[in-house]
Amino acid sequence: MTEKKENILSAALELFAQEGFKSTSTSKLAAQAGVSEGLIFRHFKSKEGLLKALMDLGEERLEYIFADIITESDPQEVINKALTALKTVAADPEQAHFWKLQYKLKWETETYDDSKVEPIKVALTNAFEKLGYSYPEKEAQLILILMDGMVTKLFLSQNFDINETVDILIEKYKE
Amino acid sequence: MTEKKENILSAALELFAQEGFKSTSTSKLAAQAGVSEGLIFRHFKSKEGLLKALMDLGEERLEYIFADIITESDPQEVINKALTALKTVAADPEQAHFWKLQYKLKWETETYDDSKVEPIKVALTNAFEKLGYSYPEKEAQLILILMDGMVTKLFLSQNFDINETVDILIEKYKE
DNA sequence: AATAAGTAAGTGAGTACTTACAAATAATAA
DNA sequence: TTATTATTTGTAAGTACTCACTTACTTATT
C-alpha cells in the first residue's frame, strides 16, 4: 500500500461520510488526496471500486468492535457493552466517520444488510433469555432500534449527548 | 394548480424518496411526470425550488399528524398516539413517501431541524411528568430516539414489523 | 528489462438550466 | 356575443458545464 493510495482512501472516507457518495466527485476527491484523478482509477478501477475497498476496511473495524460483545459471557455485560460501543465510536473521529458512512450509504442505496448485525442480535437475545425476560428476541430487536435511533441523533442532531443517553439506558436495563 | 404541475410534484415525491434528491435528474423526472423538462423550471424555477415546494407540502401533513398528539390531554394517550402515528404513516403509501423523503434528506444534507419535532417533545415531556416519571424530558427524548430507530428499520430493513414493535412499546409504557 | 506508480490532457455522456417560440386560457373592448 | 389583446402554460432544441473514466506518456521501483 503506497502513501498516495492511503491518501485516496482517507480522503474518500472523509468526503463520502461528509458529502455522500454520489455528491463527491472524483476530481474533488483527487484534489483533497493530493493526487491526480487518474490514480484513483489505476488503484480502484472505478468510483464504486473505491467505495467497496473502503467498506471492506469498515467491516474489519465493525467486526473488531462486535467481537468484544459476542464473546462476553455475563448477560448484563453483553447489554452494557452493546450500548457502550456507541460511546466508543462517537469518541473516535475516524470510527465515527466509518459509521456515518455506513448509515449514509444505507439511506442512499436503501440496503440495510441485517446480516452484519445478526451476531449482535443473537448475543443480545441470549443475554435477555438468561436474564429471564419474557420475549428475549423482541428485547434484542428493541436495543437495535435504540442504537439506530441514537446513531441518527448522534450524526444529525446538534444537541445530542450520547454519553448521557447511553448511561440512562444502561441504568434502565439494570432492573 | 394545473394537472401537469401536480404530476411534477407527485413524480418528484416518488423519485426523490426512492432514488434521492441528487440522484434524480430533471430529465428523468420530466419523463416520469409526462411533461417537458422546461416546465419544471417554469413552475419551480430550479430543482431546489421543486424540493422546497415538496417539503412545504410535507410540513402540512406533518403538522396535521402532530396536532392530534399535542392536543391530547390524557398523558398515557399522548404516548400511545405518538407511537401509533408511525403505524398510520406506514400504512399509507403517500405519507410513507413523505417521511422517507424527510429522512433521506436529513442524511443527504445533514440537517435534522429539531424545531419540527420540538412540540412533540414538549407534549411527551408533559405527559411523562403527569405520569410521575423521574426524568420526564429524558423519557421524551428516548421516545424520539425510538421513533428515529423505528423509521430507520421501517424504510431500510426488509423484515421489520412496525405494528408489532409499536404494540410492544405501548404495552411497555403502560406500566 | 519489466513491471508498477504516477500524471496531464483528453472523451463522450449526462447535468441543471435557458431561450425562442407556439398553444391555450383569461381579460378587456367593441 | 365576438374580436383583440395579454398572460399563462407548454414545448423543442439548445447551452455551458461537470461527471466518471480513458489514453498516451513519464517516472520510479523491482
Side-chain angles (χ1 to χ4, degrees):
Chain A
M1 178 88 70
T2 62
E3 197 188 331
K4 298 218 167 185
K5 193 176 177 183
E6 274 180 355
N7 287 349
I8 293 171
L9 280 168
S10 70
L13 174 60
E14 203 177 313
L15 287 176
F16 288 170
Q18 239 157 47
E19 325 262 346
F21 176 70
K22 190 81 196 288
S23 296
T24 301
S25 68
T26 48
S27 67
K28 203 187 340 180
L29 212 154
Q32 166 118 350
V35 301
S36 67
E37 204 178 344
L39 193 59
I40 295 171
F41 296 92
R42 160 123 302 157
H43 281 309
F44 304 100
K45 250 192 93 176
S46 67
K47 200 183 162 188
E48 289 267 359
L50 169 57
L51 178 63
K52 173 119 199 337
L54 210 53
M55 297 299 276
D56 288 349
L57 285 174
E59 202 165 332
E60 287 175 32
R61 309 257 176 152
L62 207 68
E63 277 165 17
Y64 178 76
I65 297 170
F66 283 4
D68 184 41
I69 302 169
I70 294 164
T71 54
E72 175 63 52
S73 58
D74 177 20
Q76 191 66 55
E77 266 305 300
V78 172
I79 297 163
N80 291 353
K81 280 187 173 173
L83 291 167
T84 309
L86 276 186
K87 284 172 44 169
T88 316
V89 168
D92 174 21
E94 215 207 19
Q95 275 198 333
H97 270 136
F98 268 112
W99 275 60
K100 195 167 168 183
L101 176 59
Q102 289 278 342
Y103 274 81
K104 276 219 161 172
L105 286 172
K106 275 184 195 185
W107 280 99
E108 204 171 320
T109 65
E110 281 188 42
T111 46
Y112 199 90
D113 197 3
D114 297 273
S115 66
K116 275 185 195 165
V117 269
E118 190 59 29
I120 296 291
K121 196 179 177 184
V122 172
L124 284 168
T125 304
N126 290 336
F128 280 117
E129 199 170 7
K130 280 187 200 158
L131 289 170
Y133 280 72
S134 306
Y135 305 102
E137 206 198 321
K138 310 295 170 195
E139 295 288 343
Q141 169 85 320
L142 230 51
I143 296 269
L144 294 179
I145 290 170
L146 279 166
M147 289 177 81
D148 277 347
M150 284 190 285
V151 168
T152 305
K153 287 259 187 281
L154 174 64
F155 291 124
L156 301 183
S157 195
Q158 296 89 326
N159 309 315
F160 178 62
D161 188 340
I162 183 115
N163 294 318
E164 188 194 27
T165 308
V166 166
D167 290 341
I168 288 173
L169 280 173
I170 289 178
E171 203 59 38
K172 266 187 177 271
Y173 278 103
K174 269 191 184 153
E175 297 153 16
Chain B
M1 178 91 71
T2 61
E3 197 189 330
K4 298 219 167 184
K5 193 177 176 184
E6 275 180 355
N7 287 349
I8 293 172
L9 280 167
S10 70
L13 174 60
E14 202 176 314
L15 286 176
F16 288 170
Q18 239 157 48
E19 325 263 347
F21 176 70
K22 190 83 196 289
S23 296
T24 302
S25 68
T26 49
S27 66
K28 204 188 338 180
L29 211 155
Q32 167 120 349
V35 301
S36 68
E37 204 178 343
L39 192 60
I40 294 170
F41 296 92
R42 161 123 299 156
H43 280 310
F44 303 101
K45 250 191 94 176
S46 67
K47 199 184 163 189
E48 289 267 358
L50 169 57
L51 178 64
K52 173 118 198 336
L54 210 53
M55 298 299 275
D56 288 347
L57 284 174
E59 202 166 332
E60 287 176 32
R61 309 257 177 155
L62 207 69
E63 277 165 16
Y64 178 76
I65 297 171
F66 283 5
D68 184 42
I69 302 170
I70 294 163
T71 54
E72 175 63 50
S73 56
D74 178 20
Q76 191 68 54
E77 267 305 299
V78 172
I79 298 162
N80 291 353
K81 279 187 173 175
L83 292 168
T84 311
L86 277 187
K87 282 169 55 166
T88 317
V89 167
D92 174 21
E94 216 209 16
Q95 275 199 332
H97 270 137
F98 268 112
W99 275 60
K100 195 168 168 182
L101 176 59
Q102 290 278 341
Y103 274 82
K104 275 218 160 168
L105 286 173
K106 275 184 196 185
W107 280 100
E108 205 172 321
T109 66
E110 281 188 43
T111 46
Y112 198 91
D113 196 5
D114 298 273
S115 66
K116 274 185 194 163
V117 270
E118 190 58 30
I120 295 291
K121 195 178 178 184
V122 172
L124 283 168
T125 305
N126 289 337
F128 279 116
E129 201 171 7
K130 280 187 201 160
L131 289 169
Y133 280 73
S134 306
Y135 305 101
E137 205 196 320
K138 310 294 170 199
E139 296 288 343
Q141 170 85 318
L142 231 51
I143 295 270
L144 295 179
I145 289 169
L146 280 166
M147 288 178 82
D148 277 348
M150 284 189 284
V151 168
T152 304
K153 287 257 186 286
L154 174 64
F155 291 125
L156 301 183
S157 194
Q158 295 91 323
N159 307 317
F160 178 62
D161 188 339
I162 181 115
N163 294 317
E164 188 194 29
T165 308
V166 165
D167 291 342
I168 288 172
L169 281 172
I170 289 178
E171 204 60 38
K172 266 186 176 274
Y173 278 103
K174 270 193 183 149
E175 297 150 17

